[in-house]
Amino acid sequence: MTSVPLVKSLGDIYPEDALAQQSTRWNALYSKFQAAYGAEPTFVARSPGRVNIIGEHIDYSLYSVLPMAITADAIIAVTARPSSSATYKIRIGNVDSKFPSREFHLDSNGDIDIDSKASEWTNYFKSGLKGALALLRQKAKAAGIEFRPCDMDVIMDGTVPVGGGLSSSAAFVSASALAVMTANSEAPVDKKELTELAIVSERSVGVYSGGMDQAASVLSELGSALFVSFSPHLDAKPVKFPPTSPELGFVIAQSFVTSTKHDTAPTRYNLRVVECSLAAGYLNAVLNPPGTTLPLDAGPLRTSLKGFQDVYAAKNLAGVDPEEQLQRLISLTETTLTQEEGYTREELAQVLKESVVEDLRKIATEEAPSASVNDSDPVANLESRYMSKFTVRADRFKLRQRALHVFSEALRVVQFLKLLENAAPGADTSAFNQQLGDLMNATQDSCRDLYECSSPEIDDICRIARSAGAYGSRLTGAGWGGCTVHLVPVDKMDAVKTALEKEYYATRELTEGQKTQAVVVSRPARGSATLVGHSGSFTS
């Protein structure tokens, strides 16, 4: 992969029709910076939000996904100075005055304390700082040189709606890490390094995401969706949609139901992470030979459903293509994980007893010497293995439904990509368009029924959009509110927008700003960039 581009103008970042609005916004950023610190910034780090076309809630199980970056982004203006003492100073402010300015004095050789339970806006910057400094210290040590973090003056602005399903947190953390790397003379910044450290960094604020959001934010290319793979290692390739007739576009519609990953994680997002990893362990214990353990991998809890697939396939599905493998795993899950009501801790501890002990010992060797095995309490071991990194609240864990969603959604991603790659040009591609839409609709059904991450408002928006002409409509992002994405023929976009305004938004009390943001037509945008060498006003 290449380096994050260093750009000289807003035209290198945004499409032409966005330049007037962005010029006004960046002028406000520069004015705020100058008012706060008495000079213009040296550079601005920028990372966008994303919309996921297909592949929902499967990245943390290490399955491939197909997102695209959007124009909305996080921008961070910075001036840096060498630190002259054993501490370094971070001064940080926000263009939006509802976020209070902060000042931090930090030990040059110490770790960065982040209270993941606190809803503090600067935690996202601190998590990017923490990850970037860890990488920079590692590089300095390998090179045999001393590293001392620099002082930084920072002003941030974001246009990705918080809790709106377009990954505002990943945009902020990725831009923060990029800012810290650049400020400490690490320029140009390697895209893959930035993506990997941003994935790990966001976990410092208590959200155990899989990596799709950060990959899309950093790696996306203008005009292309991004096929992102996580196993055996992070990889990404641009994917263009073929010409169609009627022409296709994407509509993004907000529900204005806010569900932030951080605040609801114990019963929603992080609980799903735990359930998926437990499902991988359970299927392994029942379907693979006794004594088989899953390899520790890049998943948030170090074992994943993709890891289970790889182990099971090596023993039982040699020569079977990935699509057929997933279809067989769906059938196996239906006959193996039979408890619709879910599994208690005690039931799981009995089945996973041996693998939990083995995992705890392996993990203790690698990363947590303090982890201990309780020979007389398998439930305590289960909780130590799967529930000690973050808080989850559940009496029963719905392994069947979560595994069925993950395997079927991973299959839909494979089928969606195959359709794009094998599309035949024609005078009328309506049938092809509908095939793509049907896969997106199936994703929505699965998110609603199996993963239970939709909401009545999301369901309503999808129903309205489909009735008005969308081929496919689904939630995008974590869910439980947030945002929706719709595959729409260009000649039906006005009809879809009108229907949503009349049947959904007119029933809600919205500000003028919300009405403007409610429905937008989106196209694949550019990923991370660093603006350097600019002085004075921005003009369109």
Side-chain angles (χ1 to χ4, degrees):
M1 293 185 185
T2 55
S3 300
V4 174
L6 301 175
V7 301
K8 298 287 189 180
S9 73
L10 298 189
D12 297 325
I13 299 174
Y14 301 107
E16 188 173 348
D17 59 5
L19 288 179
Q21 183 179 23
Q22 292 298 334
S23 294
T24 301
R25 177 182 168 225
W26 282 60
N27 282 329
L29 177 78
Y30 266 54
S31 296
K32 180 88 173 187
F33 194 97
Q34 186 133 21
Y37 306 125
E40 290 187 339
T42 307
F43 67 89
V44 180
R46 178 259 181 190
S47 285
R50 62 93 193 96
V51 62
N52 189 20
I53 299 168
I54 197 162
E56 210 60 75
H57 279 285
I58 63 172
D59 56 335
Y60 48 81
S61 290
L62 302 188
Y63 283 103
S64 301
V65 293
L66 190 70
M68 67 181 190
I70 58 177
T71 301
D73 57 13
I75 52 177
I76 298 180
V78 179
T79 290
R81 298 171 303 281
S83 174
S84 58
S85 66
T87 62
Y88 62 101
K89 180 171 66 176
I90 305 289
R91 298 191 293 178
I92 180 169
N94 197 301
V95 171
D96 189 338
S97 58
K98 76 180 179 185
F99 298 107
S101 298
R102 306 291 192 200
E103 185 170 314
F104 304 106
H105 294 260
L106 303 166
D107 183 345
S108 292
N109 296 310
D111 198 6
I112 296 164
D113 184 42
I114 300 173
D115 182 0
S116 63
K117 296 177 182 177
S119 292
E120 165 58 41
W121 79 273
T122 58
N123 277 354
Y124 293 94
F125 180 84
K126 288 168 75 175
S127 67
L129 175 70
K130 182 185 179 88
L133 291 185
L135 178 60
L136 290 167
R137 287 185 178 117
Q138 179 185 331
K139 287 186 170 187
K141 184 177 180 181
I145 58 176
E146 182 184 4
F147 173 74
R148 185 186 296 275
C150 64
D151 295 337
M152 294 176 65
D153 293 335
V154 175
I155 294 290
M156 182 265 178
D157 184 51
T159 54
V160 188
V162 175
L166 300 175
S167 202
S168 59
S169 57
F172 193 178
V173 172
S174 299
S176 299
L178 175 58
V180 174
M181 297 285 283
T182 306
N184 285 277
S185 300
E186 181 75 13
V189 175
D190 182 80
K191 284 185 176 181
K192 185 175 182 180
E193 282 188 344
L194 177 60
T195 303
E196 290 174 338
L197 79 86
I199 291 168
V200 175
S201 294
E202 193 169 342
R203 295 173 185 169
S204 299
V205 292
V207 178
Y208 278 70
S209 60
M212 171 187 69
D213 302 343
Q214 297 83 358
S217 184
V218 175
L219 302 172
S220 289
E221 297 182 11
L222 185 65
S224 295
L226 195 72
F227 182 70
V228 186
S229 303
F230 304 96
S231 178
H233 51 75
L234 177 67
D235 194 22
K237 68 174 183 179
V239 176
K240 288 191 178 293
F241 275 67
T244 58
S245 179
E247 184 183 350
L248 293 173
F250 289 100
V251 170
I252 300 173
Q254 293 281 352
S255 71
F256 295 113
V257 175
T258 300
S259 177
T260 59
K261 286 183 186 176
H262 175 275
D263 293 336
T264 63
T267 57
R268 291 179 173 177
Y269 192 93
N270 286 351
L271 177 57
R272 298 301 186 274
V273 175
V274 169
E275 288 173 320
C276 288
S277 198
L278 284 168
Y282 195 106
L283 291 169
N284 176 66
V286 174
L287 296 175
N288 280 325
T292 302
T293 59
L294 297 179
L296 298 183
D297 58 29
L301 292 175
R302 303 300 310 278
T303 51
S304 65
L305 284 164
K306 180 65 166 67
F308 161 72
Q309 178 184 344
D310 291 344
V311 171
Y312 183 81
K315 297 176 183 295
N316 301 282
L317 300 175
V320 178
D321 70 67
E323 189 171 349
E324 175 65 22
Q325 284 186 21
L326 287 165
Q327 289 169 337
R328 294 196 195 181
L329 288 176
I330 291 168
S331 298
L332 283 168
T333 298
E334 290 173 335
T335 56
T336 304
L337 293 170
T338 56
Q339 294 184 201
E340 294 269 2
E341 73 277 13
Y343 295 79
T344 65
R345 284 171 166 82
E346 290 75 17
E347 289 169 333
L348 293 168
Q350 265 320 109
V351 174
L352 298 175
K353 190 174 181 180
E354 293 180 7
S355 67
V356 162
V357 169
E358 182 63 26
D359 281 358
L360 284 172
R361 287 176 175 151
K362 285 194 291 188
I363 292 170
T365 301
E366 277 196 19
E367 62 182 48
S370 61
S372 60
V373 174
N374 188 328
D375 294 328
S376 62
D377 193 343
V379 172
N381 289 337
L382 181 87
E383 291 174 337
S384 176
R385 168 65 184 91
Y386 290 101
M387 304 169 209
S388 60
K389 277 192 172 183
F390 43 79
T391 303
V392 295
R393 294 194 296 271
D395 295 322
R396 289 183 173 272
F397 298 84
K398 294 186 174 181
L399 275 55
R400 172 187 173 88
Q401 294 91 327
R402 309 321 180 214
L404 284 174
H405 168 78
V406 170
F407 290 141
S408 64
E409 182 71 347
L411 177 60
R412 285 187 285 273
V413 173
V414 172
Q415 293 168 335
F416 199 97
L417 187 66
K418 184 183 288 187
L419 283 171
L420 294 180
E421 291 178 338
N422 298 318
D428 184 354
T429 61
S430 297
F432 167 79
N433 298 356
Q434 191 58 62
Q435 284 180 295
L436 295 176
D438 288 345
L439 290 171
M440 293 175 66
N441 292 334
T443 293
Q444 173 60 21
D445 293 345
S446 185
C447 284
R448 182 190 63 225
D449 300 332
L450 294 175
Y451 225 68
E452 298 176 281
C453 63
S454 189
S455 70
E457 296 85 358
I458 293 289
D459 298 340
D460 278 350
I461 288 173
C462 291
R463 175 187 55 78
I464 293 165
R466 291 173 194 166
S467 296
Y471 287 114
S473 298
R474 54 174 291 267
L475 68 83
T476 185
W480 297 286
C483 207
T484 59
V485 61
H486 311 268
L487 183 69
V488 182
V490 170
D491 59 3
K492 293 287 182 66
M493 282 188 174
D494 286 343
V496 169
K497 291 172 72 173
T498 299
L500 288 171
E501 287 162 2
K502 180 180 177 182
E503 298 179 47
Y504 182 78
Y505 297 113
T507 67
R508 307 183 69 82
E509 293 183 7
L510 302 179
T511 66
E512 288 305 313
Q514 286 177 319
K515 290 176 183 178
T516 302
Q517 298 172 358
V519 183
V520 297
V521 176
S522 184
R523 62 190 118 173
R526 194 183 304 279
S528 295
T530 305
L531 182 90
V532 294
H534 181 87
S535 181
S537 296
F538 293 92
T539 59
S540 57

